[in-house]
């Protein structure tokens, strides 16, 4: 196995405001762009060439990773869709840069999945089953936000139901985990020049045409980092070593502090928090299971839990945040409390003592008026 396509063109809407200036795969998880974890895992599994299928904020990827040789020891190639072509259209478009022959396997990865799947074993299964496409499947308690993939006892895929809308459609807890092995010729048969969803069009079309889709259920670590809560958890799990990544820029532990960060010895870091370079954390601050992006500042005795603090964002002294996403350069003044999963737009400035908002209680200074459940995200 040597070639792969990585789908990194989505707008990352559910991750706003983190994706206002940064494409989702480039947001830092455990100190490095999330994509570095995926690329390094692919390299470790023997992938030697990856085509990145970019669209939204396309230029950022190559600027950061270049040709991939120095950082990962593999070759990165970039293709850009002028207009997003959907997952299937993006795979077809990226195929122009593949070197694999028609019968060779090509790996395809969604660009927001953190997983411990054995990539080489998936390719081995693909050869054994002689499938058109082999899919990594995982089991989740609530499959509604995913593609449902029932299989027979031999692993043959029986149906592909993307984001089921009725209770009757929830026929299994096995979902598409966003990692496939395609036989190259199957990619070449995807229509060109228009939007195609691999989940809604290509897979159901292959099944109705008698194609062989093979599902491999693998129950190792798996997480889609598409929401702020999942992103914070994924980063913390990487730092704590719950899932391995060759790209982790430090030892596994309770917190990761990158060189250039200034953390007071009287601050407490825990739960897999990731503290980027140029971050300042003052005396008595408590940072738990959170991501602090470069240049963020947390004031004295502030508490930041399960939260993501954007680049150059500021959290005032004694402020308490839980489950909050603070956009780049936003500032929450001192003595505020936000514990609701709020998302604060980039550049927002909340004055000192203006918000005290926990589940079941709400109070705020008159000039701000009633505070909605989620502070609207300006984009
Ligand atoms: N190049 C390109 N162009 N990439 C795209 C486009 C596009 O038009 N649209 C989406 N992508 C990329 C995204 O960047 C992401 O890496 C991947 O394709 C999947 O898109 P998501 O938006 O994250 O999809 P999802 O999470 O709702 O659902 C997908 O993943 C689930 C697993 O997490 C589906 O594949 C589901 O079937 C699956 O269960
Ligand atoms: Mg996703």
């Amino acid at each position: 196995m040597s070639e792969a396509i990585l789908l990194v063109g989505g707008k990352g809407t559910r991750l706003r405001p983190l994706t206002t200036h940064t494409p989702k795969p480039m947001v830092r998880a455990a100190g490095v762009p999330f994509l570095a974890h995926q690329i390094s895992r692919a390299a470790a599994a023997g992938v030697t060439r990856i085509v990145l299928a970019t669209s939204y904020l396309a230029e950022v990827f190559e600027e950061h990773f270049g040709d991939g040789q120095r950082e990962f020891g593999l070759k990165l190639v970039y293709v850009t869709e002028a207009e997003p072509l959907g997952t299937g259209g993006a795979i077809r478009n990226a195929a122009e840069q593949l070197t694999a022959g028609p019968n060779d396997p090509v790996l395809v990865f969604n660009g927001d999945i953190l997983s411990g799947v054995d990539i080489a074993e998936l390719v081995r299964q693909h050869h054994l089953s002689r499938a058109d496409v082999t899919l990594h499947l995982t089991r989740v308690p609530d499959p509604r936000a995913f593609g449902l993939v029932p299989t027979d006892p031999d692993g043959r895929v029986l149906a592909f139901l993307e984001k089921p809308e009725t209770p009757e459609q929830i026929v299994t807890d096995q979902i598409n985990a966003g990692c496939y092995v395609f036989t190259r010729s199957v990619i070449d048969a995807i229509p060109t020049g228009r939007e195609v969803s691999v989940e809604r069009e290509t897979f159901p079309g292959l099944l109705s045409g008698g194609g062989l889709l093979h599902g491999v259920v693998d129950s190792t670590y798996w997480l889609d980092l598409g929401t702020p809560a999942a992103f914070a958890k994924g980063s913390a799990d990487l730092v704590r070593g719950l899932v391995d990544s060759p790209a982790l820029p430090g030892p596994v532990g309770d917190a990761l502090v990158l060189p250039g960060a200034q953390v007071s010895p009287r601050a407490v870091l825990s739960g897999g928090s990731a503290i980027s370079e140029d971050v300042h954390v003052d005396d008595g601050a408590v940072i738990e299971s959170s991501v602090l992006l470069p240049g963020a500042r947390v004031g004295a005795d502030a508490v930041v839990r399960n939260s993501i603090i954007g680049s150059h964002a500021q959290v005032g002294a004694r402020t308490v945040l839980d489950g909050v996403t603070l956009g780049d350069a936003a500032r929450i003044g001192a003595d505020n409390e936000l514990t609701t999963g709020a998302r604060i737009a980039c550049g927002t400035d909340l004055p000192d003592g203006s918000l005290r908002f926990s589940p079941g209680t709400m109070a705020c200074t008159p000039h701000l008026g009633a505070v909605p459940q989620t502070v609207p995200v300006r984009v």
Side-chain angles (χ1 to χ4, degrees):
M1 163 51 58
S2 62
E3 271 192 308
I5 295 170
L6 244 166
L7 299 175
V8 292
K11 289 206 171 113
T13 315
R14 287 169 297 159
L15 214 51
R16 282 184 196 155
L18 294 174
T19 47
T20 306
H21 305 120
T22 310
K24 172 164 64 172
M26 295 302 287
V27 179
R28 286 161 183 248
V32 294
F34 172 67
L35 201 55
H37 299 293
Q38 272 190 315
I39 297 173
S40 64
R41 282 189 55 87
V47 174
T48 54
R49 194 163 179 279
I50 299 182
V51 184
L52 268 80
T54 68
S55 176
Y56 177 66
L57 300 174
E59 63 287 352
V60 179
F61 296 91
E62 189 165 6
E63 277 167 21
H64 185 93
F65 290 122
D67 70 1
Q69 290 293 355
R70 194 174 46 85
E71 193 168 348
F72 304 109
L74 52 58
K75 173 88 180 142
L76 294 177
V77 181
Y78 302 85
V79 294
T80 302
E81 298 142 50
E83 291 297 322
L85 290 171
T87 46
I91 294 169
R92 178 66 186 88
N93 191 52
E96 305 292 344
Q97 290 292 332
L98 291 175
T99 60
N103 297 320
D104 290 341
V106 176
L107 277 157
V108 177
F109 298 100
N110 284 357
D112 59 351
I113 303 297
L114 180 59
S115 121
V117 68
D118 184 341
I119 296 170
E121 173 60 15
L122 204 64
V123 177
R124 201 179 72 81
Q125 294 276 346
H126 182 72
H127 284 300
L128 280 177
S129 66
R130 297 169 178 270
D132 295 308
V133 186
T134 299
L135 298 88
H136 169 208
L137 309 179
T138 190
R139 291 201 168 90
V140 292
D142 181 0
R144 285 175 297 176
F146 303 103
L148 269 58
V149 190
T151 51
D152 76 8
D154 297 327
R156 185 175 186 128
V157 173
L158 301 172
F160 197 105
L161 302 152
E162 181 68 9
K163 315 255 161 69
E165 279 165 6
T166 61
E168 299 77 57
Q169 288 178 316
I170 302 177
V171 293
T172 177
D173 62 352
Q174 282 179 188
I175 61 141
N176 167 26
C179 169
Y180 324 112
V181 189
F182 273 77
T183 298
R184 161 77 197 255
S185 58
V186 177
I187 296 180
D188 292 338
I190 297 173
T192 55
R194 69 167 172 88
E195 202 177 324
V196 179
S197 161
V198 79
E199 299 89 350
R200 296 182 194 275
E201 183 176 338
T202 310
F203 292 148
L206 282 166
L207 287 173
S208 61
L212 176 58
L213 267 55
H214 183 66
V216 177
V217 181
D218 178 304
S219 306
T220 49
Y221 185 98
W222 185 88
L223 192 63
D224 176 329
L225 274 68
T227 62
F231 198 90
K233 177 176 167 23
S235 177
D237 288 349
L238 279 159
V239 170
R240 290 182 299 171
L242 270 61
V243 55
D244 287 335
S245 166
L248 188 69
V252 162
D254 228 22
L256 172 75
V257 180
L258 291 194
Q262 293 181 32
V263 179
S264 159
R266 285 180 295 282
V268 181
L269 311 178
S270 67
S273 292
I275 317 294
S276 295
E277 64 270 21
D278 302 327
V279 166
H280 287 240
V281 181
D282 289 345
D283 288 357
V286 173
I287 315 288
E288 192 182 306
S289 304
S290 294
V291 179
L292 272 53
L293 295 174
R297 287 175 180 256
V298 178
D301 299 316
V303 176
V304 178
R305 285 196 190 99
N306 309 311
S307 294
I308 306 173
I309 309 301
S311 286
H312 300 284
Q314 295 179 37
V315 179
R318 297 171 301 283
T319 278
V320 177
L321 304 181
D322 195 341
V324 171
T325 307
L326 196 52
D328 296 344
R331 176 185 163 273
I332 304 224
D335 300 306
N336 286 298
E337 184 178 335
L338 267 176
T339 58
T340 59
R343 300 202 249 167
I344 312 290
C346 299
T348 301
D349 194 343
L350 287 176
D352 294 354
S354 52
L355 284 174
R356 181 156 294 276
F357 190 22
S358 316
T361 61
M362 184 173 89
C364 55
T365 51
H367 72 276
L368 273 174
V371 180
Q373 181 94 26
T374 299
V375 178
V377 177
R378 257 187 273 125
V379 283

